[in-house]
């Protein structure tokens, strides 16, 4: 049950993050593992990773305002993602 809850929460967080992203980036970001304090976002290129890193303070603020207990977001480039 705990795994299912983490997956559902990760999907909820992804929906919140995607609303904050420029339209061309939205389909290039996917949710990764969620732990008690941090969350991983998967992206398909280094350029998306760079832009996302610039947006991290805003994204963390948005997540925390929406009840997420995320202290940090990690970003990993996954070439050939979906």
């Amino acid at each position: 049950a705990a795994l299912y809850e983490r997956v559902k929460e990760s999907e909820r967080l992804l929906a919140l993050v995607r609303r904050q992203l420029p339209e061309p980036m939205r389909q290039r970001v996917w949710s990764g593992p969620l732990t008690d304090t941090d969350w991983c976002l998967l992206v398909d290129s280094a350029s998306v990773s760079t832009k996302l890193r610039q947006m991290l303070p805003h994204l963390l603020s948005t997540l925390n305002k929406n009840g997420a207990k995320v202290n940090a977001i990690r970003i990993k480039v996954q070439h050939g993602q979906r």
Side-chain angles (χ1 to χ4, degrees):
L3 178 60
Y4 177 76
E5 294 299 321
R6 283 185 197 249
V7 169
K8 293 307 281 181
E9 179 66 359
S10 186
E11 289 173 0
R12 183 182 80 84
L13 299 179
L14 181 61
L16 290 169
V17 163
R18 279 187 171 163
R19 282 185 237 145
Q20 304 300 313
L21 300 177
E23 182 65 35
M25 283 180 61
R26 290 180 185 170
Q27 298 306 313
R28 299 180 72 187
V29 177
W30 300 274
S31 60
L34 175 65
T35 69
D36 290 335
T37 59
D38 71 340
W39 182 40
C40 181
L41 286 174
L42 307 174
V43 299
D44 66 355
S45 72
S47 61
V48 173
S49 174
T50 299
K51 178 64 176 169
L52 206 52
R53 286 182 203 288
Q54 294 170 352
M55 298 178 71
L56 282 180
H58 174 70
L59 296 176
L60 276 170
S61 174
T62 298
L63 293 176
N64 290 321
K65 286 178 186 173
N66 284 279
K69 305 225 181 330
V70 175
N71 295 330
I73 298 174
R74 294 176 292 117
I75 300 169
K76 291 191 177 182
V77 176
Q78 299 280 311
H79 296 285
Q81 186 75 359
R82 300 179 196 187

